[in-house]
Amino acid sequence: MALTVLLALGSTAPPPAAAPQAAKTVVSAPVLVLPPAAPSLFAAVDPGVTVAAPRVRVALSTNRQEVPLAATAGRLRLLDGRTGAELWPDRASGPVRVVRDVAAEDRDSTLEEVRRIQVGAFRDELQAKDLGARLETELHQPAVTYWDSDRNVWRVRIGEAKEPEALKPLLAQVRESGYPDAWIVREPVRRLEGATLRLLDARWEVRAVASDRIVAVPSGGALVTVEGRPYRGLVEVRLTPYGELLAINEIAVEDYLRGVVPEELGPNLYPELEAQKAQAVAARTYAFGNLGQFTADGYDMCDTPRCQVYRGAGSEQPLSDRAIHETRGEILVWNAAPVNALFTSTCGGHTEDVELVFPEWTYPYLRGVPCGLPPQERKGRGATLVGNPVASVPGAPDPGPEPLNLGRLVAHGIVGREAYDPGWRTVPVQAGEAWSWFAALAAQAGKPVPAAVTDPPGRLALWRATAGLLGIEGSELVAPGDEALVLAVEDADLVAAEDLPLVAALFARGLAYPNAEGRLDPLGVPTRAEVLGWIARAADQYAAAPLEEAQVTAAPSSGPVKIAPRSGRREWTLAVAPDLLAEVGGAWHRVGRVDLLAGDRVLVAADDGRIKLVALRERAGSSDDRTSSKYRWTKVKERAELETSLAPVAPVGELRDLRILSRGRSGRVTAMEIIGVDGRAIVEGFRLRRALDLPETLFSMDVQRDRDGTLRRVTFRGRGWGHGVGLCQVGAFGMARRGADYREILSHYYTGVVLVKVP
Ligand SMILES: [Zn+2]
């Protein structure tokens, strides 16, 4: 196959993303070998509708007993998949259900014996299905889960062959995967010879079809729907030798990808074109590399995570469509074949060499690389943002409210900047200023202006003002007669009976609470800090003085910082020095300057179209996938939990100890010794993730023991989510955010591969 080489992505040390090297480099064209695709429908049938080549046949996960078909508009033609003859042309329009012709079962079935690998048996159906799914993911072979009514168990079996010899390599893999007791079994299979289908329309009219295949053809620009889901291209429903229905979508590869890319990298969550393009190329590479994987069953690939997730035309999004279109036909090639373009959600800062995670594979292009810039290049790449100066009051106690709440009240003009001075906040409040804060809050909360407060402003007077402002007379939160119980504070009896309902209502909503001495002191004058604390809580409850979740979209070392809120499309350019906060260990602190990187998550308060407050969320590092919610995690496992998850892989009885034997270049644990009362086991690579039931194998351990040395529990602290090999999806998004194009992204995660265009 003659090819245009778009770019030799050949350097072993990927270029820094900030220095684009996307020029087209023409090298000698390799001869690309693609696997043969499953035979198309068109050999037998001319449906009169064009499905552009190259095509792919995707098995849809539908009900296996009954498949409902319809068209999004117009008439749906049904053709005999063997002869091309139109079936039931005089049928009233509307949906049709395809079912098996019942009579066929008794008439034409034969019993046949096959060999399968028995892996496990379970009382619980979910457990069995879960194991089946895991086996499929790890071993890339179809697994079968079925109910054995003789023994009352769910059996999980994998593989199928006529002769046991053919299953030996797979059996070795299964045993290696932690199922040492797996064995090869004989299984009788009922095959249907010459069975046929029948059709039911919406009015329950029935039509027998003298064929085991039908092809659904839409008219005009309409699409076929299967179980209500629309699909481009054509849909075939065929009867398998086991008497089940199989719906297959025959579709142009480029259209297929439109239903894959948004499922794998959601454009709403990851709205960067270049990251979408990288995902599109990876998905297309997978598709071409796996053509014909299930030819024996009449299709190329499945629509589940075992292959890649495909949900038809209903998933399509403009941004992913554009990414697919702009990379039309492009795939990654190594050694004349499509690469095994593995991708992982969040690599946790560094990907890993493939053979350390999946020992059965040795692809030289799947090397561990830093996710983002190499550590030595990470410093000084962002913007330094200098904010308003932080008041320095040596030794002054901080009387609250906590800095983020104070910051938002200042940013929205409810209280002046003097409130940042802790000394100022410890002073008893004055009636006038308290009233002005209430009035500003009322304006932003859409509530009436409160009545004036007279000096001295005792707590009860302020609570009455708050209740008046918020329209609280009593509260459904406290039943009449229960007020004194709600106010379980020693001096609550100082509150007069007529004030009890409103004070209890404020307590129930957290808008009033005991003072620093643990008392109500209803006639005492509160500090400014105490009143601002109530105001901050009320602002929360009425969505006034809001903080918005946002992300830094540009942070050049010289030039303006740009920030975009999650909610909308507008983007702010930072013009004036804002107040700055930084999150450290889960708490907020006011700071004078912060270093920002594109992609950082922030909270902002904007007033009059200007950002007045920037609060930098705890930054997990500088890697490109740091914004993932799975970038860092902590999992606590009691011993019993560990014993349960370890049992199938390392059956060592009561757990005594876990020992890390080796780590890969990313820091991933690549081998661990499991020590129990009944023995020891060594677990390696990706299997370790399942054995410990963790999001990733990039972790450290923190072991706790009882006094007698018994293992009590283990805390795992780690980074990442997935297997850590190949393209890091959130990392690709981060690279795109800081300006990398899709070729740089692909060459970064796949070492030494070539990008080519399939004609
Ligand atoms: Zn990553």
Side-chain angles (χ1 to χ4, degrees):
M1 184 178 285
L3 287 167
T4 314
V5 175
L6 300 175
L7 181 67
L9 305 173
S11 58
T12 45
Q21 300 188 347
K24 290 190 181 184
T25 314
V26 177
V27 299
S28 60
V31 178
L32 176 64
V33 184
L34 291 176
S40 163
L41 288 171
F42 307 114
V45 175
D46 174 14
V49 167
T50 312
V51 177
R55 307 176 192 107
V56 60
R57 286 168 64 83
V58 190
L60 306 179
S61 350
T62 60
N63 184 314
R64 295 303 182 103
Q65 308 304 320
E66 176 182 309
V67 178
L69 298 174
T72 53
R75 210 170 74 84
L76 184 69
R77 284 190 303 137
L78 299 173
L79 309 181
D80 182 326
R82 298 268 182 200
T83 66
E86 182 157 1
L87 302 165
W88 208 357
D90 54 336
R91 164 182 64 94
S93 61
V96 167
R97 285 174 294 145
V98 185
V99 296
R100 195 177 73 197
D101 195 327
V102 192
E105 188 166 357
D106 314 320
R107 196 173 62 216
D108 300 309
S109 71
T110 56
L111 269 180
E112 193 180 284
E113 195 178 76
V114 297
R115 310 292 177 125
R116 283 205 169 116
I117 297 169
Q118 159 89 24
V119 187
F122 298 86
R123 296 271 170 212
D124 179 44
E125 180 182 4
L126 280 180
Q127 256 184 313
K129 294 237 152 106
D130 188 41
L131 172 62
R134 280 189 204 154
L135 288 171
E136 290 193 340
T137 313
E138 284 176 32
L139 301 172
H140 310 279
Q141 287 281 336
V144 190
T145 311
Y146 66 95
W147 175 245
D148 180 342
S149 54
D150 292 342
R151 296 279 169 84
N152 283 327
V153 288
W154 287 93
R155 294 199 182 282
V156 182
R157 290 179 179 172
I158 190 165
E160 182 188 319
K162 286 238 183 276
E163 299 302 326
E165 281 307 312
L167 282 176
K168 290 256 163 86
L170 180 61
L171 179 65
Q173 267 186 302
V174 172
R175 288 184 169 162
E176 169 79 0
S177 289
Y179 301 92
D181 302 331
W183 77 98
I184 295 175
V185 294
R186 296 162 193 269
E187 188 176 305
V189 172
R190 184 177 291 277
R191 305 244 186 224
L192 291 175
E193 306 291 346
T196 56
L197 297 168
R198 57 168 66 192
L199 302 170
L200 276 83
D201 76 1
R203 292 180 302 185
W204 295 88
E205 284 192 45
V206 182
R207 181 69 55 101
V209 180
S211 173
D212 60 348
R213 293 178 191 185
I214 64 151
V215 180
V217 184
S219 56
L223 306 181
V224 182
T225 72
V226 182
E227 292 184 343
R229 225 186 258 278
Y231 291 90
R232 295 183 186 280
L234 300 172
V235 171
E236 179 190 288
V237 179
R238 59 163 66 182
L239 202 52
T240 70
Y242 308 111
E244 290 186 321
L245 298 181
L246 178 62
I248 298 169
N249 182 201
E250 184 160 319
I251 183 172
V253 168
E254 297 297 322
D255 282 339
Y256 159 71
L257 295 172
R258 296 170 67 186
V260 171
V261 174
E263 294 293 331
E264 295 287 0
L265 191 70
N268 291 326
L269 214 50
Y270 300 107
E272 282 289 345
L273 178 64
E274 296 301 319
Q276 295 284 322
K277 285 161 82 172
Q279 179 75 55
V281 172
R284 186 182 293 109
T285 304
Y286 180 90
F288 278 111
N290 288 278
L291 287 175
Q293 205 188 343
F294 301 102
T295 292
D297 298 317
Y299 58 94
D300 295 299
M301 58 200 64
C302 59
D303 66 352
T304 65
R306 188 180 138 215
C307 303
Q308 45 188 7
V309 178
Y310 167 63
R311 291 275 180 273
S315 304
E316 295 170 5
Q317 304 247 8
L319 189 68
S320 43
D321 279 358
R322 187 179 154 200
I324 292 157
H325 182 74
E326 291 185 8
T327 59
R328 197 170 183 78
E330 293 177 23
I331 65 168
L332 298 171
V333 168
W334 190 84
N335 210 5
V339 307
N340 187 356
L342 291 183
F343 46 86
T344 189
S345 164
T346 304
C347 76
H350 205 293
T351 66
E352 189 51 89
D353 295 348
V354 66
E355 64 274 14
L356 295 182
V357 179
F358 301 107
E360 67 274 25
W361 285 337
T362 52
Y363 302 108
Y365 47 84
L366 293 176
R367 301 290 93 200
V369 294
C371 189
L373 298 167
Q376 64 274 17
E377 289 179 43
R378 288 180 177 182
K379 275 198 163 176
R381 295 207 70 95
T384 298
L385 192 58
V386 178
N388 281 314
V390 179
S392 152
V393 184
D398 191 335
E402 63 96 23
L404 189 63
N405 270 331
L406 189 59
R408 62 195 275 222
L409 297 183
V410 173
H412 287 280
I414 289 178
V415 63
R417 303 198 70 252
E418 62 276 12
Y420 279 131
D421 174 359
W424 180 90
R425 298 201 300 275
T426 55
V427 172
V429 76
Q430 292 162 19
E433 62 191 5
W435 182 84
S436 76
W437 304 338
F438 281 127
L441 170 67
Q444 296 197 22
K447 297 298 250 175
V449 178
V453 184
T454 51
D455 271 316
R459 286 191 180 82
L460 191 55
L462 290 168
W463 289 337
R464 284 194 194 119
T466 310
L469 162 72
L470 303 178
I472 295 175
E473 286 163 10
S475 168
E476 294 308 320
L477 297 178
V478 182
D482 283 349
E483 294 89 351
L485 291 169
V486 172
L487 298 177
V489 181
E490 59 174 282
D491 58 347
D493 52 353
L494 295 178
V495 179
E498 72 259 31
D499 289 323
L500 269 179
L502 79 87
V503 178
L506 291 174
F507 257 59
R509 288 174 54 180
L511 297 175
Y513 33 83
N515 67 13
E517 284 92 49
R519 293 150 51 83
L520 282 185
D521 193 10
L523 300 179
V525 176
T527 62
R528 288 164 167 162
E530 195 177 333
V531 178
L532 289 172
W534 306 339
I535 298 229
R537 289 195 174 212
D540 248 350
Q541 292 181 16
Y542 289 90
L547 288 167
E548 281 196 76
E549 292 275 359
Q551 194 168 34
V552 177
T553 43
S557 41
S558 62
V561 169
K562 293 187 176 177
I563 292 178
R566 274 232 188 120
S567 51
R569 292 184 184 279
R570 81 206 129 101
E571 192 177 48
W572 286 300
T573 302
L574 272 188
V576 294
D579 289 320
L580 297 177
L581 292 163
E583 188 183 25
V584 182
W588 290 97
H589 299 271
R590 226 179 135 237
V591 294
R593 52 185 284 170
V594 293
D595 293 325
L596 289 181
L597 296 170
D600 276 341
R601 288 166 62 224
V602 291
L603 291 168
V604 296
D607 197 31
D608 278 348
R610 289 194 159 177
I611 292 186
K612 298 285 180 65
L613 173 83
V614 175
L616 175 63
R617 281 212 179 272
E618 191 136 28
R619 186 192 287 143
S622 67
S623 83
D624 283 327
D625 59 350
R626 69 186 182 279
T627 54
S628 165
S629 60
K630 297 288 184 0
Y631 181 78
R632 295 206 290 208
W633 46 262
T634 299
K635 299 276 174 205
V636 180
K637 302 270 181 189
E638 303 296 332
R639 179 165 53 84
E641 281 177 80
L642 284 169
E643 284 165 356
T644 305
S645 66
L646 282 167
V649 180
V652 297
E654 189 188 307
L655 186 62
R656 286 278 166 83
D657 205 2
L658 299 171
R659 277 187 206 148
I660 292 171
L661 300 180
S662 61
R663 290 182 184 269
R665 67 163 86 186
S666 65
R668 276 176 178 75
V669 177
T670 51
M672 179 178 257
E673 187 175 22
I674 319 284
I675 301 158
V677 172
D678 301 338
R680 294 159 181 258
I682 289 174
V683 181
E684 293 176 318
F686 191 61
R687 286 191 296 130
L688 193 54
R689 178 180 185 254
R690 190 185 79 212
L692 298 172
D693 190 23
L694 293 175
E696 245 288 2
T697 54
L698 179 53
F699 60 78
S700 68
M701 289 195 306
D702 188 348
V703 179
Q704 289 172 268
R705 294 180 186 279
D706 290 336
R707 232 169 241 210
D708 63 358
T710 311
L711 189 85
R712 185 193 300 165
R713 61 178 200 167
V714 183
T715 303
F716 296 89
R717 294 186 183 86
R719 301 200 309 272
W721 188 38
H723 49 65
V725 180
L727 180 135
C728 171
Q729 292 172 291
V730 182
F733 172 70
M735 275 187 85
R737 267 271 138 110
R738 61 182 169 85
D741 76 7
Y742 75 105
R743 293 171 181 178
E744 293 170 271
I745 295 171
L746 292 167
S747 69
H748 181 75
Y749 293 109
Y750 301 114
T751 309
V753 300
V754 178
L755 184 68
V756 303
K757 201 174 184 93
V758 178

